Amino acid sequence: MPVGRPRRARQQVHHEGDDSEHPSEPSYAEQDSDSDFEEPVKGRGKRKKKDDSAQVAKRKRAEKARKGQQEVQQGDGSLFETVKAGKASLQAVVDDWIEGYKLDRNAALLELIQFFIQCSGCKGRITPYMYASMEHAEIIRKMTEEFDEESGDYPLIMTGPQWKKFKTSYCEFVQVLVRQCQYSIIYDQYMMDNVISLLTGLTDSQVRAFRHTSTLAAMKLMTALVDVALNLSINLDNTQRQYESERAKQQSKRAGDRLDLLMQKRQELEENQAEIRNMLTYIFKGVFVHRYRDTQPEIRSICMAEIGVWMKKYPNMFLDDSYLKYVGWTLYDKVGDVRLCCLKTLAPLHETPDLSGKLELFTNRFKDRIVEMTLDKEYDVAVQAIRLVIHVLKYSESVLSDKDCENVYELVYSSHRNVAQAAGDFLNHKLFKREEETEGPPARSAKGKKWSPNTPLVRDLVQFFIESELHEHAAYLVDSLWDINEMMKDWECMTDLLLEEPGRGEEALDDRQETSLIEIMVCCVKQAATGESPVGRGPNRKMSAKESKQVAEDKQKLNILSKPCRSCC
């Protein structure tokens, strides 16, 4: 943060945040052993064996805590209550707060700090005297002493539609606050300094509720600042173009005052841009670097989800190996939801052609781990990993070795349908791409019948099935590709390959290939006629109207195909 900030904003971060923490990709177990903090100690001293009276006392304390929680939530006109009620426009709420800040910034900041404390589920009240005489660290310590963790609940983890809506409103409030303040107040070296200082201190708390609530706010604050940085970049580019255009005019037509104004505006925008980047860097080092490996998985997930947003929105700053490495290290997380967040963070970056080129070093470094995750015990993670591998394949086929591809191929026989279909999509991209039609006469059989464009693909499918050496599982292969490639319903193509003699320069199917094709075709016909997946591919369920309609259409195609076959007999 720049020099000259108030004393609250210059508190030291209590952790080492340099990059030497991770010289290489560690296992997640190693990271946990070096966690930034330990779980809060729940037991203090020796406990006596619980008896019935102790259980009753505990229930009474829990009930008292819940009542206290309700008292905090009663309509007291606070920011917390207003946001929780969800009746007022958040922009109007923020605008009212800004008006109050202009009249008395200390009172307004006290209200904002109290908001973050209450959102954490803490009943403690910060008095004007406390705010005026204490550093943020002392205030947090005082609130921690008053925090009753007996119930274990706090707004972000409470269930029900009201609290789900509150979480959304809480995140939106932080972003609207920055958006409405972006043209003046965030540069006054007071408001943002105090907010960042408070949130940084709360994220370092032993109290999970403080840590979780403030980390979410800090990450959303960074996302909002990224939007401000993007607006500044656009304005700076426009100002620079106007300046160059004015300077290019002849001396007699040039407006000197306008040049001076444009130069001043450009300088102001550059200073603001540097200020925003300083804030982003400060929050990243003070919060993200420690909380991305927090002991609580939901906090780690927040960090992984938001860093993906920054990388996509502001690649000039964040789409760099010095930031990407945190996502790579977290691919080894022991919790499936966190691993899933990492993969979802990477997917949009690989999908965007302008960004995928910047991921080459990262992909080469963590490619083996991503391929390994296609076998993840959590099916959602495995599916997302396969989809990410498909994006890597589209960007550069050379990145994936034959062994990498074979690992994914085998998953078309998985008992889990979503995994198998994702693998089928990979197989389709890798092996079953239609070649562009070449000029010249189309390929024909010996009798002169034109081959289907799917003929080469069906041949490749038969060969893949033979080489997979799982001949009793044709139904699983068919189901994996059923909704992905139209060749699976090209009955005419399959019958022609079996009945027609090959044309000039073509090889006939050998006995093994014919047998395999017949087995595949039988499975295709069964799937078309019944609409049912093979045994083990998910629960039997009632088909949707769309699926029933599709089955009816497939049956009709089968009937049309069977008529010429019967006439031949």
Side-chain angles (χ1 to χ4, degrees):
M1 305 284 273
V3 176
R5 294 185 177 280
R7 61 195 178 114
R8 297 183 192 279
R10 291 201 296 266
Q11 295 177 45
Q12 297 296 316
V13 178
H14 300 298
H15 300 295
E16 295 298 325
D18 57 32
D19 293 339
S20 61
E21 289 177 327
H22 301 288
S24 60
E25 302 112 69
S27 69
Y28 202 79
E30 291 172 345
Q31 292 188 27
D32 268 2
S33 65
D34 189 32
S35 181
D36 290 311
F37 63 89
E38 298 177 357
E39 289 276 15
V41 180
K42 295 184 178 179
R44 297 184 181 180
K46 294 182 179 179
R47 288 192 176 185
K48 295 181 180 179
K49 187 176 180 181
K50 293 181 180 178
D51 55 17
D52 292 341
S53 61
Q55 292 283 10
V56 171
K58 182 175 180 180
R59 281 196 296 271
K60 286 182 178 179
R61 286 196 303 270
E63 185 63 27
K64 184 179 179 182
R66 280 192 292 272
K67 287 180 179 178
Q69 183 79 11
Q70 291 169 1
E71 289 172 7
V72 172
Q73 295 162 7
Q74 288 174 356
D76 56 2
S78 65
L79 271 178
F80 170 75
E81 179 61 32
T82 305
V83 172
K84 182 171 77 74
K87 294 178 181 178
S89 160
L90 287 177
Q91 182 166 324
V93 172
V94 169
D95 287 344
D96 288 344
W97 182 87
I98 291 173
E99 289 303 314
Y101 181 86
K102 291 176 180 177
L103 294 173
D104 186 345
R105 67 182 189 177
N106 287 324
L109 269 175
L110 173 57
E111 183 183 19
L112 189 60
I113 290 172
Q114 186 67 58
F115 168 74
F116 288 118
I117 296 296
Q118 282 187 271
C119 287
S120 302
C122 178
K123 303 190 296 292
R125 294 282 177 175
I126 305 170
T127 64
Y129 173 78
M130 289 169 61
Y131 178 75
S133 61
M134 293 182 178
E135 295 284 354
H136 285 150
E138 295 175 88
I139 292 174
I140 293 169
R141 193 178 303 115
K142 181 71 174 173
M143 293 298 102
T144 301
E145 291 170 0
E146 297 187 23
F147 202 104
D148 187 353
E149 290 189 276
E150 190 71 38
S151 67
D153 278 346
Y154 53 94
L156 290 189
I157 64 170
M158 287 182 182
T159 56
Q162 181 189 26
W163 294 112
K164 185 177 180 181
K165 183 180 178 183
F166 169 78
K167 183 176 180 180
T168 303
S169 299
Y170 175 69
C171 297
E172 188 180 346
F173 174 83
V174 174
Q175 293 179 291
V176 172
L177 178 67
V178 174
R179 187 176 70 228
Q180 296 302 101
C181 295
Q182 67 177 305
Y183 298 110
S184 60
I185 295 177
I186 62 173
Y187 304 111
D188 70 0
Q189 295 195 339
Y190 189 78
M191 180 269 215
M192 286 300 291
D193 295 342
N194 279 279
V195 170
I196 292 171
S197 173
L198 174 81
L199 292 178
T200 303
L202 286 171
T203 61
D204 195 33
S205 172
Q206 292 282 341
V207 178
R208 173 191 173 190
F210 277 152
R211 226 167 49 249
H212 185 184
T213 308
S214 59
T215 299
L216 179 60
M219 296 299 95
K220 291 297 181 182
L221 187 70
M222 276 194 73
T223 300
L225 288 172
V226 163
D227 290 333
V228 174
L230 291 174
N231 287 336
L232 286 171
S233 294
I234 293 170
N235 290 335
L236 188 58
D237 289 343
N238 291 338
T239 303
Q240 183 64 29
R241 280 195 297 270
Q242 292 171 5
Y243 177 81
E244 295 295 340
S245 175
E246 189 67 30
R247 198 174 64 170
K249 293 178 180 179
Q250 294 179 1
Q251 188 75 26
S252 58
K253 297 180 179 180
R254 188 185 300 169
D257 292 344
R258 178 168 168 77
L259 269 179
D260 291 340
L261 287 173
L262 288 171
M263 189 177 294
Q264 289 175 11
K265 184 179 179 182
R266 184 180 68 180
Q267 184 177 354
E268 181 184 350
L269 288 170
E270 287 173 346
E271 289 173 355
N272 289 345
Q273 195 173 49
E275 176 77 358
I276 296 298
R277 287 181 74 102
N278 283 343
M279 292 180 191
L280 289 170
T281 301
Y282 187 89
I283 300 172
F284 188 85
K285 290 182 176 179
V287 179
F288 182 95
V289 166
H290 307 296
R291 299 284 69 80
Y292 90 98
R293 49 190 235 149
D294 194 281
T295 57
Q296 298 300 319
E298 62 269 22
I299 296 177
R300 303 199 296 272
S301 293
I302 289 170
C303 293
M304 288 301 108
E306 291 305 310
I307 195 174
V309 175
W310 311 332
M311 287 174 175
K312 195 163 191 307
K313 284 187 172 185
Y314 199 11
N316 289 343
M317 179 174 180
F318 289 103
L319 194 57
D320 179 83
D321 291 317
S322 61
Y323 292 98
L324 280 164
K325 65 185 180 183
Y326 295 104
V327 182
W329 289 330
T330 313
L331 290 171
Y332 295 87
D333 198 286
K334 60 188 176 184
V335 176
D337 285 344
V338 183
R339 297 195 298 274
L340 184 62
C341 271
C342 292
L343 294 170
K344 286 183 175 179
T345 285
L346 294 170
L349 306 178
H350 282 90
E351 288 173 5
T352 309
D354 293 341
L355 303 180
S356 58
K358 297 182 178 181
L359 295 166
E360 185 176 357
L361 185 60
F362 171 86
T363 304
N364 286 326
R365 185 177 179 186
F366 292 100
K367 180 257 299 179
D368 290 344
R369 173 57 183 160
I370 294 170
V371 172
E372 183 183 30
M373 291 173 77
T374 62
L375 301 171
D376 200 282
K377 62 182 179 181
E378 303 284 347
Y379 290 129
D380 289 346
V381 177
V383 170
Q384 193 64 42
I386 295 169
R387 288 174 181 162
L388 183 57
V389 172
I390 293 171
H391 293 313
V392 172
L393 178 71
K394 289 178 180 178
Y395 165 65
S396 175
E397 290 193 26
S398 61
V399 173
L400 299 173
S401 67
D402 291 342
K403 181 63 177 174
D404 294 332
C405 295
E406 288 167 9
N407 288 338
V408 183
Y409 293 160
E410 294 171 0
L411 294 173
V412 295
Y413 296 104
S414 169
S415 61
H416 193 274
R417 193 164 197 254
N418 289 343
V419 173
Q421 287 188 319
D425 196 15
F426 176 84
L427 190 65
N428 192 53
H429 279 91
K430 181 67 177 174
L431 298 182
F432 302 135
K433 282 183 182 177
R434 269 195 190 178
E435 295 181 3
E436 294 183 6
E437 294 185 11
T438 56
E439 295 183 4
R444 297 180 182 274
S445 68
K447 293 182 180 179
K449 184 174 183 180
K450 182 180 176 182
W451 293 114
S452 165
N454 288 320
T455 301
L457 302 184
V458 173
R459 283 178 174 271
D460 290 341
L461 177 65
V462 169
Q463 193 59 36
F464 174 82
F465 179 57
I466 291 171
E467 291 177 1
S468 65
E469 298 180 351
L470 290 168
H471 305 150
E472 69 277 14
H473 292 101
Y476 293 89
L477 174 61
V478 168
D479 185 57
S480 299
L481 293 165
W482 187 250
D483 298 324
I484 295 168
N485 197 311
E486 63 179 18
M487 70 172 170
M488 308 308 293
K489 300 174 187 177
D490 195 343
W491 325 114
E492 187 176 2
C493 171
M494 295 181 189
T495 52
D496 284 348
L497 271 171
L498 291 169
L499 300 176
E500 295 286 332
E501 293 294 326
R504 184 180 298 176
E506 295 178 335
E507 290 186 9
L509 297 179
D510 59 29
D511 291 345
R512 190 180 182 189
Q513 290 171 328
E514 285 186 352
T515 302
S516 297
L517 177 55
I518 291 169
E519 189 174 351
I520 290 171
M521 189 173 180
V522 168
C523 293
C524 288
V525 170
K526 181 180 178 182
Q527 181 118 353
T530 66
E532 295 177 359
S533 299
V535 177
R537 283 269 173 99
N540 293 326
R541 58 179 177 82
K542 187 176 179 180
M543 285 187 290
S544 65
K546 184 178 179 181
E547 289 171 328
S548 299
K549 182 181 178 182
Q550 185 62 52
V551 170
E553 290 175 359
D554 292 340
K555 283 182 179 178
Q556 188 177 3
K557 290 178 183 177
L558 281 171
N559 289 332
I560 294 171
L561 177 67
S562 64
K563 288 178 182 177
C565 291
R566 285 197 295 268
S567 64
C568 290
C569 297

